[in-house]
């Protein structure tokens, strides 16, 4: 990528023109406008000012809209573009764009805006919905200009604000990354489009499998209001139940037929589901039911300790029985990978091929089918509606004839079953050890918070997002070996940002 062109795109360019077109007519103080300045003139000023000088041009016309004249727009901006282009052509230090961005925008401005702008909205008794999100994204993307857009008039922050500011911040980070890592496969043409698509496809595949486990966790929380700290271990034992069922079933069939028989791992999924469903129901009846009957004084602490202890028991019992040695079942299908063939677009540019590992694709299909089956169950069946009613209002559900105690047991058993099915779907792909659940449950918590506590569609969307973020973060890291080691950290960054900017998650609802 040409560094001069990239620097100009960072400081000005088409995206700033779009920002000026949208914001300047809405934010320019009407009392300072000359009568000759029309809405169309403000739109034109936003476009040419943003295109030539970025936030400087937009800020100039915001503070002094009376300067907007056709001669100004025609002559002054043309000169500014020429001067800016001549200056940027001579840029030789790739650190200069980063330094300019940190001065004009960046993390420091995001922190300053996040502190002052929400307080300004509250002092002005304005609608402060999304004010914190817009302040953080605006400070990160356009620096002090966010104060000019929000401080005096405290406009209502719409979804379009969030989309524009978030897109601008992400685009700036990508541009800076491209300047400093010109040979990285995520930015090096002509291969970057194929590479990014490949990594995104990998993320969607593994993220769909993550979602299955997270859906079980969010189902338990939505009905019982507690977070199960045994969820990772239930995922782990689901994989082991599948492994030992396939092992013994294969041995029995081999003895009966006199030939070596291998059982397809797909049969291990329902077996693990049934066993762990019963296990979850029994555990809930014995240990969690007293909590809902008022027999436990400190409910939250009890739920944490009892589920953590259950998970500890499962993990170390499995370690004692199965040992610390990695296990893996046979493949789901013999097709090792699906390939989207290469497409030649021009002589110098092509797209593809894109490869998807066969077992991962099969597990993704299993996960998506199970999630949609759960959604159908929750939406169409009487029992599913009873679960939803209990999650919304336990007392009102009891008045209509629903037994909340039974719904508690069913929710924990179903959530545990989904975790076990997720483990049974992944044991043909990953090496299975008794502590494998600890890593996966951390991702599940991130996914549940990202999608919104209690939201099944949110868990599906959150899983896909986490999968894509991990795949792109590991694949685009300048050092591939470190990128793989930091894969979990990328998901935690998303977790922290969601907690700071939108604590209810993408699909979560406010709790009064």
């Amino acid at each position: 990528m040409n560094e001069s062109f990239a620097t100009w795109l960072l400081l000005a360019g088409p995206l700033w023109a779009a920002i000026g077109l949208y914001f300047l007519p809405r934010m320019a103080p009407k009392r300072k406008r000359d009568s000759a300045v029309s809405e169309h003139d403000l739109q034109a000023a936003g476009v040419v000012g943003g295109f030539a000088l970025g936030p400087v041009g937009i800020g100039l016309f915001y503070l002094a809209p009376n300067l907007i004249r056709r001669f100004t727009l025609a002559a002054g901006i043309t000169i500014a573009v020429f001067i800016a282009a001549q200056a940027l052509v001579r840029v030789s230090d790739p650190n200069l764009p980063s330094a300019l961005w940190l001065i004009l925008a960046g993390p420091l401005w995001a922190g300053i805006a996040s502190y002052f702008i929400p307080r300004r909205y509250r002092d002005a008794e304005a609608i402060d919905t999304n004010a914190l999100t817009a302040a953080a994204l605006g400070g990160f993307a356009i620096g002090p200009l966010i104060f000019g857009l929000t401080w005096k008039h405290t406009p209502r922050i719409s979804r379009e604000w969030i989309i524009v500011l978030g897109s601008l911040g992400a685009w700036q980070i990508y541009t800076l990354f491209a300047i400093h890592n010109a040979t990285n496969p995520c930015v090096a043409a002509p291969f970057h489009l194929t590479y990014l698509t490949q990594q995104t496809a990998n993320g969607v595949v593994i993220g769909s499998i993550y979602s299955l486990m997270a859906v079980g966790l969010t189902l338990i929380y939505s009905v019982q209001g507690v977070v199960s700290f045994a969820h990772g271990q239930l995922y782990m034992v689901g994989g082991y139940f599948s492994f030992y069922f396939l092992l013994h079933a294969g041995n029995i069939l081999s003895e009966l037929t006199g030939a070596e028989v291998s059982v397809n791992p797909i049969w291990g999924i329902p077996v693990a589901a049934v066993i762990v469903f019963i296990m979850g129901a029994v555990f809930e009846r014995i240990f969690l039911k007293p909590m809902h009957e008022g027999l436990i004084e400190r409910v939250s602490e009890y739920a944490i300790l009892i589920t953590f202890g259950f998970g500890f028991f499962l993990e170390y019992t499995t370690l004692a029985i199965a040992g610390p040695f990695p296990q893996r079942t046979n493949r789901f299908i013999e097709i090792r990978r699906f390939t989207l063939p290469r497409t030649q677009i021009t002589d110098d540019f092509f797209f593809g091929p894109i490869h998807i590992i066969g077992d991962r694709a099969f597990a993704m299909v299993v996960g998506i089918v199970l999630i949609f089956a759960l959604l159908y169950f929750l939406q169409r069946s009487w029992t599913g509606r009873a679960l939803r009613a209990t999650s919304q209002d336990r007392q009102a559900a009891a008045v209509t004839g629903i037994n909340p105690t039974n719904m508690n047991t069913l929710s924990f058993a179903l959530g545990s079953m989904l975790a076990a099915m997720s483990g049974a779907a992944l044991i043909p792909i990953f090496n299975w050890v008794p502590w494998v659940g600890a890593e996966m449950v951390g991702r599940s918590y991130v996914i549940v918070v990202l999608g919104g506590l209690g939201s099944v569609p949110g868990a599906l969307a959150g899983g896909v997002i986490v999968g894509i973020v991990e795949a792109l973060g590991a694949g685009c890291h300048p050092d591939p070996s470190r990128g793989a080691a930091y894969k979990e950290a990328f998901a935690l960054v998303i977790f922290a940002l969601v907690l700071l900017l939108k604590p209810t998650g993408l699909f979560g609802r406010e709790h009064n």
Side-chain angles (χ1 to χ4, degrees):
M1 178 181 291
N2 184 280
E3 63 179 20
S4 302
F5 181 67
T7 307
W8 173 73
L9 285 177
L10 183 65
L11 300 180
L15 191 54
W16 280 108
I19 293 173
L21 172 66
Y22 182 83
F23 285 113
L24 189 62
R26 290 165 172 77
M27 300 303 155
K30 293 183 178 180
R31 63 182 180 82
K32 289 187 178 180
R33 295 187 198 173
D34 186 81
S35 59
V37 179
S38 65
E39 194 81 6
H40 176 75
D41 292 332
L42 285 169
Q43 292 175 345
V47 170
V48 295
F51 188 83
L53 300 175
V56 176
I58 298 174
L60 176 66
F61 289 131
Y62 168 79
L63 295 174
N66 294 334
L67 295 178
I68 299 174
R69 297 289 186 274
R70 295 190 183 278
F71 175 79
T72 306
L73 301 179
I77 299 304
T78 301
I79 295 173
V81 170
F82 176 79
I83 295 174
Q86 291 300 313
L88 293 176
V89 164
R90 291 166 173 78
V91 172
S92 58
D93 184 4
N95 292 319
L96 178 60
S98 299
L100 291 175
W101 177 73
L102 288 173
I103 294 172
L104 298 176
L108 181 60
W109 281 108
I112 295 173
S114 299
Y115 181 81
F116 286 104
I117 289 178
R119 286 166 173 76
R120 169 61 180 164
Y121 269 73
R122 289 192 289 270
D123 293 342
E125 297 182 353
I127 300 175
D128 62 349
T129 305
N130 296 326
L132 175 60
T133 305
L137 293 176
F140 189 82
I142 59 177
L145 185 60
I146 190 63
F147 290 93
L149 296 176
T150 60
W151 194 263
K152 185 171 184 179
H153 298 282
T154 57
R156 184 169 185 174
I157 307 298
S158 64
R159 183 177 61 180
E160 287 75 13
W161 282 62
I162 307 301
I163 294 174
V164 169
L165 294 173
S167 301
L168 176 58
W171 175 72
Q172 289 174 337
I173 292 297
Y174 179 81
T175 304
L176 288 173
F177 179 82
I179 293 173
H180 289 275
N181 300 274
T183 60
N184 189 281
C186 289
V187 297
F191 309 106
H192 68 285
L193 184 60
T194 298
Y195 186 78
L196 287 174
T197 305
Q198 177 70 70
Q199 294 301 109
T200 303
N202 293 338
V204 170
V205 169
I206 198 67
S208 301
I209 305 170
Y210 290 166
S211 299
L212 182 60
M213 183 178 178
V215 163
L217 189 63
T218 199
L219 179 65
I220 295 172
Y221 178 84
S222 65
V223 176
Q224 299 208 23
V226 299
V227 176
S228 172
F229 284 86
H231 210 66
Q233 285 73 26
L234 291 167
Y235 157 85
M236 178 268 298
V237 297
Y240 272 107
F241 281 135
S242 173
F243 172 78
Y244 282 110
F245 165 76
L246 297 173
L247 178 64
H248 293 298
N251 291 337
I252 293 172
L253 291 176
S254 298
E255 292 178 1
L256 293 176
T257 60
E260 185 175 352
V261 177
S262 177
V263 182
N264 193 291
I266 190 67
W267 297 106
I269 296 178
V271 171
V274 171
I275 295 174
V276 177
F277 180 91
I278 297 172
M279 182 188 300
V282 172
F283 173 79
E284 198 283 335
R285 281 290 184 177
I286 296 175
F287 295 102
L288 296 182
K289 182 180 177 182
M291 178 181 70
H292 298 291
E293 292 179 342
L295 302 178
I296 306 297
E297 293 184 0
R298 305 179 68 173
V299 173
S300 300
E301 292 87 344
Y302 175 81
I304 293 173
L305 291 175
I306 199 66
T307 56
F308 183 83
F310 182 46
F312 187 87
F313 168 78
L314 290 176
E315 180 173 332
Y316 284 91
T317 301
T318 304
L319 179 62
I321 296 173
F325 309 105
Q327 306 288 357
R328 182 185 290 189
T329 64
N330 295 326
R331 304 172 63 86
F332 282 116
I333 55 178
E334 293 302 323
I335 302 175
R336 293 194 172 271
R337 64 182 181 182
F338 299 96
T339 301
L340 179 67
R342 169 172 166 168
T343 302
Q344 195 76 33
I345 299 175
T346 66
D347 293 338
D348 299 324
F349 184 74
F350 60 87
F351 177 79
I354 305 299
H355 305 288
I356 299 177
I357 299 174
D359 280 338
R360 294 195 178 193
F362 188 87
M364 176 191 71
V365 173
V366 170
I368 292 176
V369 168
L370 290 174
I371 291 173
F372 279 96
L374 176 66
L375 288 173
Y376 182 86
F377 169 76
L378 293 175
Q379 296 289 335
R380 299 294 182 181
S381 68
W382 186 92
T383 306
R385 294 192 183 102
L387 281 171
R388 291 166 51 210
T390 305
S391 70
Q392 294 173 8
D393 192 322
R394 299 177 63 85
Q395 294 181 349
V399 170
T400 61
I402 298 171
N403 188 334
T405 301
N406 291 340
M407 294 301 105
N408 289 336
T409 303
L410 180 60
S411 67
F412 195 89
L414 281 175
S416 302
M417 181 189 74
L418 291 172
M421 296 175 81
S422 178
L426 287 180
I427 193 170
I429 301 172
F430 301 123
N431 288 326
W432 220 250
V433 289
W435 51 89
V436 71
E439 177 183 337
M440 185 61 74
V441 75
R443 288 192 179 95
S444 297
Y445 296 143
V446 173
I447 292 168
V448 168
V449 173
L450 177 60
L453 290 172
S455 172
V456 174
L460 175 59
V464 173
I465 292 172
V466 168
I468 293 175
V469 168
E470 287 187 353
L472 290 178
C476 296
H477 195 280
D479 186 343
S481 60
R482 291 187 178 181
Y486 295 155
K487 188 166 61 174
E488 292 80 12
F490 300 124
L492 292 177
V493 171
I494 299 297
F495 180 75
L497 290 176
V498 170
L499 287 179
L500 287 173
L501 302 179
K502 197 172 182 357
T504 58
L506 297 177
F507 296 89
R509 59 179 183 263
E510 298 282 353
H511 295 277
N512 296 324

